[in-house]
Amino acid sequence: MVMFLFLVVALAVVVAAVTLAVVGGGESGPLPEAGPERLQDPLPADRPVHRADVETLRFPLAPRGYRMADVDDALGRLAAELAERDARIADLESALAGARAAAAHARLEKHDHPGDQR
């Protein structure tokens, strides 16, 4: 019986303390809203993105995961740089194919006309 009374009193004290904390709110009032975390080290704007930049990129947590704006900005930047690099690679491959074709054509002409000095 003593244990039961002890549990009832302890429960009453806990309920009273929680009620007082919730209703009273303390002297300073409720806590101010915390500002949203921002991306500490965003991708560099003054140079192309390197592998190390992507490996060290960490997004701050938001109440429901990551801040969508930060993730969207980073993915947009990476997509634009990849598209730019793909276009550059395509241009270089095209120029290389043209140079190879010109070299092959020159070899054929040289082979067809061995006495001509051009």
Side-chain angles (χ1 to χ4, degrees):
M1 182 73 171
V2 174
M3 185 62 128
F4 177 74
L5 287 176
F6 174 75
L7 289 176
V8 169
V9 170
L11 181 63
V13 169
V14 169
V15 169
V18 169
T19 303
L20 185 61
V22 170
V23 173
E27 303 221 358
S28 63
L31 292 175
E33 257 325 291
E37 286 187 61
R38 297 298 302 163
L39 193 56
Q40 295 297 322
D41 296 317
L43 296 174
D46 58 341
R47 64 173 171 78
V49 175
H50 299 292
R51 179 184 178 132
D53 297 325
V54 176
E55 288 174 349
T56 59
L57 186 63
R58 298 291 179 262
F59 297 102
L61 292 177
R64 295 186 315 173
Y66 294 105
R67 289 181 39 88
M68 289 177 63
D70 289 339
V71 176
D72 289 345
D73 289 346
L75 290 176
R77 171 77 187 279
L78 291 172
E81 288 208 16
L82 287 173
E84 182 180 316
R85 289 179 188 174
D86 287 346
R88 178 76 175 136
I89 289 170
D91 288 345
L92 292 172
E93 286 177 342
S94 176
L96 179 61
R100 285 181 176 163
H105 182 68
R107 277 195 307 272
L108 282 176
E109 280 192 8
K110 192 174 190 180
H111 187 300
D112 288 345
H113 307 294
D116 289 344
Q117 299 268 338
R118 293 185 183 196

